[in-house]
Amino acid sequence: MAITGSGSLAISLVLFVISVAFLPKVEGQNLATDNVSVIEGETATISCRVKDNDDSVIQLLNPNRQTIYFRDVRPLKDSRFQLVNFSDNELRVSLSNVSLSDEGRYVCQLYTDPPQEAYADITVLVPPGNPMIESREEMVSEGNETELTCTAMSSKPAASIRWMKKGEELTGETTVEETYDRMFTVTSRVRFSVTKEDDGVPVDCIIDHPAAKDLLAQRQLDVLYKPEVKIVVAYPNGLTREGDNLDLTCIAEGKPHPRRIIWLRVDEDMPPHAVVTGHDLYIENLNKSYNGTYRCVASNAVGDAYDDYALYVYDPRAGEGAPQKIDHAVIGGVVAVVMFAILCALIVLGRYFARHKGTYFTHEAKGADDAADADTAIINAEGGHNNTDEKKEYYI
């Protein structure tokens, strides 16, 4: 009777099992393996390693306890399993195109007495699809709150979601939903108030997952804001004098663009010679009765804003340009110099009077030296010369 290849393998397995039953007890053999995490569609490798093997047989079983490899023979009819290495100390097998159905506990088995087993858990990672950001409204007005929603679908394990705006992390509310196929869908919502400075600013939804890198979605904010208004004097460049003309331009920017520009004179009527052309206000032949506050008001769908210009008409003989500003530093320097000069003068006068006072007492003393009595001393001190000839001094 002919025996096929598979029949021969079966007989060999039976004989091996019978022989294993009578194996002597072996000491010092250690069987080891490692858990494996693999992304769906990629290749996983399982390594069964033996230390100090004495020719004991190694085999690999799937989670259903079916033999994948017995030594270097593959009884299981799944060509995705391939032998990478077989020796006395290792049985290494690869599994290509991994799917969720391959997840589970694989068994490395060593035929000793007693038999040894080591377990390798294969975990299949499924990256989420491209995230999507949805906004509660397409455009939001400044000062109002907007809400953004980011979704990461069909991942394993569940992804985590972070929000970033202008380099700062925003706090969102996250919900996780497990689907029937052991997959997860994660949704995060974030709410915040916006200003006109947020217009055009990107908001990032960043997905963190062990099977994906640099996965994010981005949405730019579309913020509506009321106009910003500024009045610019086109003419004249200096003082506004009687008889001159005045030309003002109103610059208004907003989102949406201002649909209406109005010129008015606060609390008074416009001068009879005032002409408004679009954004410009032109007044010719100024006189002092035109003095007042002129206002440009711009409006859009968000609101109104204005800027004021205070007109003061000067006399025709007024000098060109604005009055010169007082240089307080120069004035302070002049005052300091004057005070220093006064102080020096006081010091000189003081020294002068002190010196002449000493000279007076000296002359009085000279008169007293030659006087016979007090009256004569006073007369001599006042300029008398009665005894001057008798007073002689010799210097040796």
Short mmCIF file of all heavy atoms in Angstrom, two decimals, residues 69 75 119 199:
data_model
loop_
_atom_site.label_atom_id
_atom_site.label_comp_id
_atom_site.label_asym_id
_atom_site.label_seq_id
_atom_site.Cartn_x
_atom_site.Cartn_y
_atom_site.Cartn_z
N TYR A 69 4.04 24.67 13.00
CA TYR A 69 5.30 24.05 12.60
C TYR A 69 5.70 23.01 13.64
O TYR A 69 5.65 23.27 14.85
CB TYR A 69 6.42 25.10 12.46
CG TYR A 69 6.59 25.60 11.04
CD1 TYR A 69 5.91 26.73 10.61
CD2 TYR A 69 7.41 24.93 10.15
CE1 TYR A 69 6.04 27.20 9.32
CE2 TYR A 69 7.56 25.38 8.86
CZ TYR A 69 6.87 26.52 8.44
OH TYR A 69 7.01 26.96 7.15
N PRO A 75 2.58 21.49 9.12
CA PRO A 75 1.37 20.71 8.85
C PRO A 75 0.18 21.59 8.46
O PRO A 75 -0.70 21.15 7.73
CB PRO A 75 1.09 19.99 10.18
CG PRO A 75 2.38 20.08 10.95
CD PRO A 75 3.01 21.35 10.52
N TYR A 119 4.27 31.31 25.88
CA TYR A 119 3.14 31.89 25.15
C TYR A 119 3.54 33.25 24.56
O TYR A 119 4.14 34.10 25.24
CB TYR A 119 1.95 32.06 26.07
CG TYR A 119 1.57 30.77 26.76
CD1 TYR A 119 1.95 30.52 28.09
CD2 TYR A 119 0.87 29.78 26.08
CE1 TYR A 119 1.62 29.34 28.71
CE2 TYR A 119 0.53 28.58 26.71
CZ TYR A 119 0.92 28.37 28.01
OH TYR A 119 0.60 27.19 28.62
N ASP A 199 -9.06 85.30 12.92
CA ASP A 199 -9.44 85.08 11.53
C ASP A 199 -8.25 84.51 10.74
O ASP A 199 -7.16 85.08 10.74
CB ASP A 199 -9.90 86.39 10.90
CG ASP A 199 -10.38 86.20 9.48
OD1 ASP A 199 -11.15 85.25 9.23
OD2 ASP A 199 -10.00 87.00 8.60
#
